[in-house]
Amino acid sequence: MYLALLELKAARGRFLLMGCVVLLVAALVGIVSGFTTGLGDDTVSALRRLPATHLAFSPDAKSDQFARSLVPAETLAGWQQRPGVQATPLGVTITRGTTDRHAEVDLAAFGVEVGSFLDPAVEEGQRLGGDGQLVISRKLAEEGVAIGDTLTVDRLGIALKVTGITGRASYGHVPAGYVTTATWQAIRFTAPGASTPAAGLPQQYSAIALRAASAANLDGADGELGTRTVAVTDAYAAAPGYTGERVTMTSIQFFLYLIAPLVVGAFFGVWTVQRQPELALLRAMGASRRRLLGHTLVQAAAVVLGGTLAGAALASAVGLLVGTEVPFSLPGLALTATMATVALAALAGAALTLRRVATADPMTMLGAGR
């Protein structure tokens, strides 16, 4: 241990350079992880907030279900008669609107039934009370929409009175707002410039939200009712861009995890080759292979752990710096898991050089002195 620390001090420039490389790799992995989580939250946080276990879509919608699926009211009635299952309609549509204070916003309109288990609680104001009302997410409030405002849906002229504010929720990077199912149908099915009465609108929904006591209560229902039921977590892929973003960011993380052991392994490989005479001398003086291996591992652990901790601090600082300007989320547990993976990958790279350390030949020094 003492010799390992002395060597770290004597060659501090080299080890500091290697530590900086580990720091940058760890920080980059942490930042990518933060963006991965943040983008995921910004895409499907409104779906994650749904207190449902499953969603039933129309069977013909294989992708982009919230945009393509239409489930009739008759199917909803069938689901509501299933024992052990709570069923309520859900509509999802992305639109735009302008408030009476001239704030222009994008809006992911979630149509829910008043009093159902999907009806969101509010942090300020009042919950949904009827048609023509709107409960906005916290993100819409940050964009300038306030309780008491009237938001008019562009091109349709549908006026929505803002009555309350719920927590942060978004869908497809668009802030969510909650309206009644009848209001959602007006937004979804009314043609620009038309004035179709509510009775003339199709009684259809994007999906049926289900809360089942057990998966057994759902068995056979799809065949009987003509739907395709998936778990809520599996429905995240139906959100715009969710799958592509996850694949892209996860691929970047994967390659960074590959880079860490290669870089660290290359450094310690070169360092071990340069130290062959010293290692041979230590063997000739009676040092055991175990001691030499421990000596090398202490150096690797000091460099890797020091660089990883500094990288974690840098990634956290970046998260604080960007704040809410970009979708970035790096909770402590995720940061710890990410940094632990980087450290293990880097130590695995250092372990690749242990064979050369263990095979240092004392006869090298004895022969060199003859």
Side-chain angles (χ1 to χ4, degrees), residues 164-186:
I165 301 175
T166 186
R168 297 182 68 87
S170 56
Y171 169 78
H173 304 298
V174 178
Y178 298 86
V179 297
T180 64
T181 51
T183 301
W184 175 83
Q185 288 169 344

Side-chain angles (χ1 to χ4, degrees), residues 8 10 37 40 68 74 95 103 110 187 195 198 203 209 217 231 238 256 259 264 266-267 286 291-292 322 345 350 363:
L8 283 172
T37 305
R68 299 181 179 182
E74 294 79 8
T95 186
F110 276 64
I187 296 172
S195 57
Q203 297 302 297
N217 298 117
L256 288 173
I259 290 171
V264 174
F267 171 80
R291 184 175 180 182
L292 293 183
V322 298
M363 296 304 294

Side-chain angles (χ1 to χ4, degrees), residues 252-322:
I252 295 173
Q253 280 186 285
F254 175 75
F255 282 107
L256 288 173
Y257 286 138
L258 290 181
I259 290 171
L262 292 177
V263 171
V264 174
F267 171 80
F268 278 98
V270 173
W271 178 244
T272 302
V273 170
Q274 293 176 340
R275 293 165 54 237
Q276 280 298 304
E278 289 84 354
L279 294 173
L281 176 60
L282 291 172
R283 289 286 291 126
M285 293 173 65
S288 65
R289 287 188 174 87
R290 179 178 296 179
R291 184 175 180 182
L292 293 183
L293 291 174
H295 165 267
T296 302
L297 287 175
V298 166
Q299 291 180 340
V303 172
V304 170
L305 295 180
T308 302
L309 290 175
L314 180 57
S316 300
V318 170
L320 293 175
L321 183 64
V322 298

Side-chain angles (χ1 to χ4, degrees), residues 131-203:
D131 298 341
Q133 295 185 359
L134 171 67
V135 170
I136 60 173
S137 65
R138 177 62 59 184
K139 191 173 180 181
L140 273 173
E142 293 171 355
E143 293 182 4
V145 184
I147 295 175
D149 286 355
T150 297
L151 186 147
T152 302
V153 179
D154 291 353
R155 300 185 304 136
L156 302 179
I158 299 173
L160 306 174
K161 187 74 172 181
V162 179
T163 62
I165 301 175
T166 186
R168 297 182 68 87
S170 56
Y171 169 78
H173 304 298
V174 178
Y178 298 86
V179 297
T180 64
T181 51
T183 301
W184 175 83
Q185 288 169 344
I187 296 172
R188 174 68 172 81
F189 298 114
T190 300
S195 57
T196 306
L201 296 172
Q203 297 302 297

Side-chain angles (χ1 to χ4, degrees), residues 54-62 69 71 75-76 78-79 82 85 207-208 210 215-231:
H54 296 76
L55 293 173
F57 297 101
S58 60
D60 56 327
K62 304 299 183 183
S69 172
V71 182
T75 303
L76 170 64
W79 271 109
R82 296 282 300 184
V85 178
I208 299 172
L210 308 173
N217 298 117
L218 305 177
D219 291 344
D222 282 341
E224 296 176 12
L225 301 175
T227 55
R228 189 171 68 86
T229 303
V230 299

